[in-house]
Amino acid sequence: MPENEKSPNAPQESKPASASKVVMTEMVLPNDTNTLNNLMGGKLLHWMDICGAIAAQKHANSKVVTASVDNVSFAQPIKLGHVVTLHAGVTRAFNTSMEVFIEVWGEDVPAGIKVATHRAFYTFVAVDDNNRPVKVPALVPDTDEEKELYRSALRRRQLRLILANRLRPDEATELRELFMR
């Protein structure tokens, strides 16, 4: 590698949100379904975890572990034979953790019907080979959607920390601002 060229795994101070984008596609097969011939929730969570972890790894250039999963509602079933498309990307990076937004689409390809079915925020922590947390690059949002997800990520993080008893509600500056308007 030429001297003036950085390795793709070299530490970086910041990375664009687009660098972590992942699209993953699966097909719902009989072994993935429940007795109603719908995709099992646990299988979907498994796929979401994989897709989110890949996005986090791409941002951190490091191994990652899942730290939390926010509310996932199962509003729309995904049927046997449908195609599942998962979109994931880091919304904000903190010191060693990253919030990843995952959207899921179910598609009946022969009928030409594609429906947004699930969405969730996952948190991943970058770790070294000894499973100790390591610093991650800052995230630079570019699009309007990326900027809004970035701005709102701190509120979601503070809420997660309050619910985990790791932050007192009076210390949650972003949430206090939201509720005191």
Side-chain angles (χ1 to χ4, degrees):
M1 179 176 302
E3 225 175 276
N4 62 351
E5 195 174 315
K6 280 188 175 180
S7 162
N9 292 329
Q12 297 174 338
E13 287 187 29
S14 65
K15 291 176 88 170
S18 59
S20 69
K21 301 290 187 203
V22 173
V23 177
M24 191 171 104
T25 305
E26 300 283 347
M27 178 175 271
V28 180
L29 299 173
N31 203 37
D32 302 324
T33 63
N34 59 25
T35 56
L36 301 172
N37 283 328
N38 293 329
L39 177 62
M40 287 187 288
K43 184 60 138 183
L44 177 63
L45 292 173
H46 173 81
W47 289 341
M48 291 173 80
D49 195 36
I50 291 169
C51 191
I54 294 168
Q57 283 185 356
K58 287 176 71 169
H59 181 78
N61 288 335
S62 174
K63 297 174 185 175
V64 300
V65 294
T66 309
S68 72
V69 178
D70 286 8
N71 180 33
V72 180
S73 59
F74 296 89
Q76 292 280 343
I78 302 174
K79 298 284 188 189
L80 174 65
H82 287 188
V83 173
V84 179
T85 305
L86 302 98
H87 295 252
V90 176
T91 62
R92 190 160 182 170
F94 296 97
N95 187 33
T96 60
S97 67
M98 297 151 284
E99 179 188 78
V100 176
F101 180 52
I102 305 168
E103 291 182 292
V104 179
W105 296 79
E107 184 175 10
D108 180 346
V109 175
I113 299 169
K114 187 173 184 177
V115 179
T117 59
H118 305 80
R119 53 194 298 172
F121 291 95
Y122 278 52
T123 303
F124 293 90
V125 174
V127 295
D128 63 16
D129 289 337
N130 296 312
N131 291 327
R132 286 190 296 258
V134 295
K135 188 166 175 46
V136 297
L139 181 118
V140 180
D142 290 317
T143 68
D144 288 342
E145 180 184 16
E146 289 170 354
K147 289 175 184 175
E148 179 51 36
L149 286 167
Y150 179 90
R151 279 191 295 273
S152 58
L154 186 53
R155 291 190 299 266
R156 287 186 297 274
R157 181 174 193 258
Q158 288 182 349
L159 183 57
R160 282 182 209 108
L161 292 172
I162 288 170
L163 293 173
N165 288 321
R166 294 181 53 213
L167 181 70
R168 290 192 334 257
D170 63 323
E171 296 174 326
T173 55
E174 290 295 309
L175 290 176
R176 190 169 57 235
E177 294 282 323
L178 183 66
F179 290 113
M180 299 306 277
R181 288 183 188 168

